[in-house]
Amino acid sequence: MTTPVNPAQVNRAGLGRADYRGQPSTLCQGCGHNSIANQVVNVAYELGIVPENIMKFSGIGCSSKSPAYFLNRSFGFNGLHGRMASLATGALFADTSVHALGVSGDGDTASIGMGGFKHLIRRNAPMTYIVENNGVYGLTKGQFSATAEVGLNLKHQGTNQYMPVDICMEALAASATFVARSFAGDPKQLKELLKAALSHNGIAVLDVISPCVTFNNQENAFHSYSWSKDHSAPLHEISFIPKLAEIRLEEEFEEGTVKEVTMHDGSVILIKKLEKEYDPTSRANAFQMIEEATANNWLVTGLIYINSEKPTLTDLYHLPETALNRLGESDLRPARTTLERINALMF
Amino acid sequence: MTTPVNPAQVNRAGLGRADYRGQPSTLCQGCGHNSIANQVVNVAYELGIVPENIMKFSGIGCSSKSPAYFLNRSFGFNGLHGRMASLATGALFADTSVHALGVSGDGDTASIGMGGFKHLIRRNAPMTYIVENNGVYGLTKGQFSATAEVGLNLKHQGTNQYMPVDICMEALAASATFVARSFAGDPKQLKELLKAALSHNGIAVLDVISPCVTFNNQENAFHSYSWSKDHSAPLHEISFIPKLAEIRLEEEFEEGTVKEVTMHDGSVILIKKLEKEYDPTSRANAFQMIEEATANNWLVTGLIYINSEKPTLTDLYHLPETALNRLGESDLRPARTTLERINALMF
Amino acid sequence: MADQVVNDFSVTIATVNGSGSQTANVTLLRALFKMGIPVSGKNLFPSNIQGLPTWYTIRLSKNGHLARRDEHEIVVALNPASFGRDLAAVLPGGAFFYADDIQQSVERTDIAVYPMPVKALARAADVSANLRDYIANMVYVGVLAQMLGIDLGAIQQALDFHFKGKEAPVKSNLGVVQAARDWAAENLKKSDPYMCEPMNATDGYIMSDGNTAAALGAIYGGVQFAAWYPITPASSLAESLNVYLPQLRKTANDKQTYAVLQAEDELSAIGMAVGAGWAGLRAMTSTSGPGVSLMTEYAGLAYQAEVPIVVWDVQRTGPSTGLPTRTAQGDLTQVYFLGHGDSQQVMLLPASVQECFEFGWRAFDLAERLQAPVFVMSDLDLGMNQWMTRPFEYPGQPMDRGKVLWEKDLEELNGVWARYKDLDGDGIPYRTVAGNRHPAAAYFTRGTGHDEHAQYSEDPATWEANLARMKKKYGTARTLVPKPVIDTLQGAEIGILSFGSNDPAVEEARILLNQAGGPQSDYLRLRALPCTQEVSEFIKSHARVYIVENNRDGQLRQILSAAIPDQAPRLRSACHADGLPLTAEWVRDAILAQEED
Amino acid sequence: MADQVVNDFSVTIATVNGSGSQTANVTLLRALFKMGIPVSGKNLFPSNIQGLPTWYTIRLSKNGHLARRDEHEIVVALNPASFGRDLAAVLPGGAFFYADDIQQSVERTDIAVYPMPVKALARAADVSANLRDYIANMVYVGVLAQMLGIDLGAIQQALDFHFKGKEAPVKSNLGVVQAARDWAAENLKKSDPYMCEPMNATDGYIMSDGNTAAALGAIYGGVQFAAWYPITPASSLAESLNVYLPQLRKTANDKQTYAVLQAEDELSAIGMAVGAGWAGLRAMTSTSGPGVSLMTEYAGLAYQAEVPIVVWDVQRTGPSTGLPTRTAQGDLTQVYFLGHGDSQQVMLLPASVQECFEFGWRAFDLAERLQAPVFVMSDLDLGMNQWMTRPFEYPGQPMDRGKVLWEKDLEELNGVWARYKDLDGDGIPYRTVAGNRHPAAAYFTRGTGHDEHAQYSEDPATWEANLARMKKKYGTARTLVPKPVIDTLQGAEIGILSFGSNDPAVEEARILLNQAGGPQSDYLRLRALPCTQEVSEFIKSHARVYIVENNRDGQLRQILSAAIPDQAPRLRSACHADGLPLTAEWVRDAILAQEED
Ligand SMILES: Cc1ncc(C[n+]2csc(CCOP(=O)(O)OP(=O)(O)O)c2C)c(N)n1
Ligand SMILES: Cc1ncc(C[n+]2csc(CCOP(=O)(O)OP(=O)(O)O)c2C)c(N)n1
Ligand code: SF4
Ligand code: SF4
Ligand SMILES: [Mg+2]
Ligand SMILES: [Mg+2]
């Protein structure tokens, strides 16, 4: 039902903010994923997107629950772990006037979902693909995901020794037409990039660093306070989740600068905002920049690459004006006479 | 059984060339995969590798049959389509003195096997990973694989419209420690790179362009000779496979030069051999070079990247000197007394 | 020389894979069909592209028996590698044709032996050098035409068909056929009893393979989205969609009312179909055993989230990669129980090429009506071989799009509806699909627990009630799936229950049983699972029912024992799987052996 | 006030997920256990990390009944969100404890009501501010200790255990417990009949969860390679390997005789295990339903290529993602038939934590002996809950590494051997493993057709013979798997057949049945599939056998009907799945209802 609104508080689609709401979040307090969900609500409201013109997809994970927390009036499908890409691909053909918005996790995308992710990209499927990236498996209680940096320590998991997957690098290598990175605690930038992603016609990969309050911690951090430091206490018994505030950047984070951000566990990450002059239309630039950042241990945020020229997956098919899912029997079942012709053809 | 040999014709392992033989090939005459198999035999013989010190892996496809055609005296496992990576990963732990040599296809690796491929690489699993890359699914009769270039036409498949997967780019993005590309018809270079790959301690990805005589053809090519040009003749009825010679480069292909190579179907690919001065130890270089090549539509061959410093997957585990698969009950079953201790621990 | 045997024998042609003999083989098959003789052709090919031995068997049966036979009265040997076996395979009194360039001795005296100058006649043909090997196959067509009495006009018709009426290739091929025929007329003396004569037993039949038929059926069923991944023996189903959709399903202004997508693997192929089915498209995928295994998790999601999709499983011999180019019915138990947790899958079991067409469209009606995956279990024999079949019948009923609410429906309901509520007592709820712009249309789909309003729920009673409703829906499926075809005979002592491509072997075996002094039999051909009322009644009315199937483990027997436990003691397995279609003789013997027990 | 009820009631504690109440709950459970009272604890938690309601039920049973009960005599309410439900759940005559800061009215007069000053007592505790919420849970421990008579010494032992004897946390937690106890002593007046008293019924028992036991069992079984992918409720199995392997399985010079690898998904996890198993390692993976679905194709390869691996399926409620934190036995039919083509999988069905340990090692012996995958079917209830159990027993037999040939064996055989030949008549061939340096050791493994020498083959007879040998091997499995445990009673009218974590409910239900005037029952607890001779004998000797299981579709009933069709009419389903472990009352009623029919 359209909520009755005060005309003063409606957007250009005539809808109030409440029309963009989702269910109450069941994620941890302070989880980065919550702010991303909030930004989706804000952006959709501000852009005046009609929620019925969006469909939401996700896999399985804390991150993949997010779509339940925004845009109640949009269709949503919380599918299988790691399989959002194919689910969305099929749905894209039903009504190309509905925009697809997907939310996945780093485990969902970079571990189990790597194959589908890469192929979705190389087909330039028209959808916004957000990775809520926290370097761990939140929902299964804190194992390494494939984006965990080398040397990260997690209780009962030991130390990660494998090279991390860089979501943006993977997207670029797979010929993505829009690649950006942001930080859940930088609402201003996130909002801008979300708007850009939603406006892109083609695959828009948005890697959002979204700290897990609860599990992405190291030995020296909260969970390891003296009592339970001993490795032999099974992880699944650590059932107390402290209520921590979300990590937020202060507003004045300038383009081109590097900022140290302290995580819940006391570790520090280096976030670098792309320079104003950075030209995101060159793939060569993009590769070079990511390589440099990796070498410096920076997480570069901003719009890394964009190419608006390429036809999208559904552009490649010559679909009718009417949405495919509104075609009826007369459109879909060839006439009786044609079958006679076919039978005649069958020797 | 060791074949009795003429001492004049043995290598430094005391073995004759026959000890490196495989079963007779059942691939098409002129298939690039056959020359790769032959080069494996040559290289193993020349390096004096004891065949029992190799184990062979593959997925499913014409390419994945190759391991049957070399090194009969090596253990081999022709596994599932797209799943060679995990199979090899597990086997690597059994006896680290046995080197793993895997052969996969472009469909096997870049389509269905993408996820496993990427994760094998980021773990730096110590194995040689050859992709016999022909841009099509040979064994299932000529559909597009994920490495097919945009615009490629195949009978009944139409025109490929998706961005191709670049095996070397993917390997690099996933932090491979050895990345090279060669051409099945350039035995000299292939042999050199194979030797290098087999000597590398870590993951060695070798992308070998290996033309499919039979299916990688376009409308204007053999299969489309006037009779069957009509699109409506089902592909699986095209049962006549012409006997064509393999495509071979002449010997004098120089480093740093670009060569046009005409495929069986008349199409032309541009192969560029890396310059002598190219420094394969810089990842940044490698990215830049591949980007440039992509822009120029070159297939660059040579050693693209190498890093011999990183510990391998099995290095990260502190395994005993004795092969794990030779440990017996006394090594593997903790003493009875320890269980008493454990029981006492269980509240 | 024995009495003539007319239109009742088998011809096997042994060639090398990739040598182009398929054109010659289907030309022979089609020519015989055009002569009005009931024929079936079985292609026994290796999992290889070029070089390994391959065989093609044509059975002529004036009585219309189209099952595979183990015996070959006539063998045509063109492959040196299998020459010895091929020679040994000729039935005593039969005939052996061989390429005279094969340097092997032919020492049987109990058969007629005919050398053929294949190379010489091919060299003389008016084609370019690179086509000579290909056209050489027409030599045996010509020789057989002469020696068996195959009509040249019929051969020309077959070639016309094969080459789509293009004059040049028809002419050069026919030239070789004629030259070979003339050569045989001059040089060979008939010393075997096998002959062809025109009949009119193929009137009202067409010839097609099951995969083409399935694709066409799907097209007439309004398929809108198909995702697939190549695999033998299913690839030609999707490839046939690519062939026929552009011809049949473009709008007046040349837009396509469908999309076909080659996915990167089967996990994604079914995922795409689920996405499309969820969003309101008639969606399908087609695969074989290994693909079905990979589709398991998604099949469970489709079951649980109640998404209509159609999955064709063109079965091949397993387990595992098995024999990729051989037939079997080995995926029944797997599919029946596909998905962890309590899943129950709906399965259709086509037995003929015509039924592949019918189930091609009917599967969509069922899937959308039931909001559930529907699996169509074909096999390599049905899917890839050419069969004479009744013409495809135009769907006899309008499309059933199931319970879908659009904007106007929701307006009428004032936007009040619940996605998973059983309003009609059939266990089937109503659904909306993405793109419906009514503000109350959207709901959130998930594979996790949910209440009637599609809200997340872990409540035990809610979970159990929802699952119970879905079980009820499965009960409804029982009333909607195609009923079995039952043939009863007076005084029948036993029942035979079978399905799918076994049908011709079973039909023939019933006659053979009688001829062997065995029991008279009733026959139930199962066309779907879950099974309808008729099935348990059939079983109940027989002391013994033989379940005939092409697998090792008697999979249907196991399913029926589980589904109808009260009748389980009456069921007897007649099962066997070696990669080949069942023969009537094997069915007869398998039953007789147990009758004697 | 009614008569005292001692050691025979249930306490349910309602809290918020992530609030740290688990420590308090298991402390209570362990304290009761230390008092010698038979107890069981069931953790009902949401699929969420923080904020949703969660319940923990402790059953005290002086008679040793450890099954879940639906009734709660005592409820402790700390969660405002579930307060109403929690209050309603108290049995008449029971007791309701609640945090006094919850602003909701308590209007029942048929129960005892006890407010607890949780916040106030926590504030008074001597801990840092960030631990205050956590330690607040100790308030109800203290209040219950006072009001139910739980021994403080036992609580201290439980805390000592939990905090591994670390003084600081034990002290601060115990401080809160004592303060709360003192407060209760002063402020609350007992008005309910429920009390605890020391017994000695837990002597000779330990307490553990099934996943820890399984990991330990695997370690004593010599596990050498484990690959896994996180999934509830299986993760803690692999995580326990990570905990205990370094303690138990390092060599004198600190090398590890094992490798554990977290894979990128379940397809790879099982693939790695297959690679390792093939190469001669004792290899395993552990997962739950969704993972098993993804492992389907590889399970088929392992079956077909005859590779030993062990797969633990810690079942949760499906289909699909289902209820990830709830229990079920819903993967039986899927696993039994896992893999396309004719696959037959070997399954073990542990019923207790001790048996998880036993099957932990035994599964490797079976897998290596049979050269086949072995599935161990645990479930969330068994795997993640704490159970009192008999101590783990050291393996009673030497490791069985199966038929592996090493260099010296091959020398004795002069290098003459054949990988897939049945030399011993048991269907089990000999194998070599990579790393064997004998020049005749190597063979080429494949999932495609092969002859006895592991050479590729498409020959029909070769294929069928090999598959027949594998079926024989499955017959051999029948003689090797653990036999059922059978308890017969004189004059029993019915049989009950069950398995796994249903055991306590079934044992209790047999008594309840009698008490209700129902029939006397014999009980067969199945421990493996394929089933041994004893199973059909048991069924045969009863007119009716109830198959009790925690799933919707009566999956074991279906399997047994398929496996023993002659006895199928005797089988009756007593099945039900709502995410919770079965109760004895439900089992009784389900049987009684059918007895009355
Ligand atoms: C096939 C399958 N395997 C495993 C799981 C268990 N599982 C649920 S969420 C998850 C990881 C989620 O991690 P991520 O995508 O990073 O999301 P986060 O919770 O960190 O936001 C896993 C392994 C599952 N649901 N399905
Ligand atoms: C799960 C599964 N899906 C599909 C197939 C069918 N299949 C066999 S080989 C192959 C493609 C092989 O292509 P590629 O790896 O490029 O090898 P090539 O034959 O071109 O050398 C496919 C799809 C299979 N065996 N298993
Ligand atoms: S566990 Fe981590 S990722 Fe999951 S909701 Fe909590 S903070 Fe977020
Ligand atoms: S089909 Fe192509 S890839 Fe396969 S063997 Fe023949 S030439 Fe090689
Ligand atoms: Mg994550
Ligand atoms: Mg290929």
Side-chain angles (χ1 to χ4, degrees), chain C residues 249-311:
Chain C
R249 285 280 300 283
K250 289 221 174 146
T251 64
N253 59 348
D254 213 36
K255 299 290 185 184
Q256 51 185 65
T257 61
Y258 58 86
V260 179
L261 207 163
Q262 185 188 316
E264 63 274 19
D265 59 22
E266 290 91 346
L267 296 156
S268 288
I270 189 172
M272 292 173 186
V274 169
W278 169 81
L281 301 184
R282 296 207 131 179
M284 68 180 281
T285 184
S286 42
T287 187
S288 189
V292 171
S293 284
L294 288 172
M295 291 179 180
T296 306
E297 194 193 12
Y298 248 122
L301 175 66
Y303 174 83
Q304 162 77 349
E306 303 186 54
V307 176
I309 51 162
V310 171
V311 181

Side-chain angles (χ1 to χ4, degrees), chain A residues 27-33 62-63 134 138-139 211-215, chain D residues 49:
Chain A
L27 302 179
C28 301
Q29 280 186 28
C31 176
H33 304 352
C62 294
S63 35
N134 56 15
L139 192 56
C212 170
V213 189
T214 303
F215 296 110
Chain D
I49 302 303

Side-chain angles (χ1 to χ4, degrees), chain A residues 26-29 60 62 65 79-81 83 107-108 110-113 137-145 155-157 162 214-215 222 225-237 239-244, chain D residues 17-23 26 30 47-50 52 127 130-131 133-135 162-164 166 168-169 172-173 209 228-232 235-236 239 242-243 247 261-267 294 320-321 384 386:
Chain A
T26 61
L27 302 179
C28 301
Q29 280 186 28
I60 299 284
C62 294
K65 290 181 176 187
L80 295 176
H81 189 35
R83 311 284 167 222
D108 201 61
S111 299
I112 190 170
Y137 293 173
L139 192 56
T140 52
K141 306 207 167 177
Q143 300 84 3
F144 294 117
S145 87
K155 274 198 77 67
H156 297 285
Q157 313 301 330
Y162 310 132
T214 303
F215 296 110
F222 184 83
Y225 63 95
S226 60
W227 304 2
S228 54
K229 199 162 197 164
D230 189 316
H231 263 265
S232 61
L235 183 68
H236 55 284
E237 282 194 12
S239 63
F240 177 52
I241 314 293
K243 292 186 179 126
L244 294 180
Chain D
N17 203 30
S19 66
S21 55
Q22 270 306 84
T23 306
V26 296
R30 291 200 175 108
S47 175
N48 145 288
I49 302 303
Q50 187 201 60
L52 289 180
V127 292
N130 62 0
L131 287 178
D133 283 351
Y134 177 64
I135 211 148
H162 190 82
F163 294 110
K164 311 260 173 302
K166 286 193 200 87
S172 28
N173 280 279
D209 60 276
W228 66 295
Y229 188 70
I231 189 165
T232 307
S235 299
S236 61
E239 287 167 339
N242 280 335
V243 169
Q247 301 176 28
L261 206 163
Q262 184 188 315
E264 63 274 19
D265 59 22
E266 290 90 346
L267 295 156
L294 287 173
S320 199
T321 311
M384 288 188 73
Q386 290 290 320

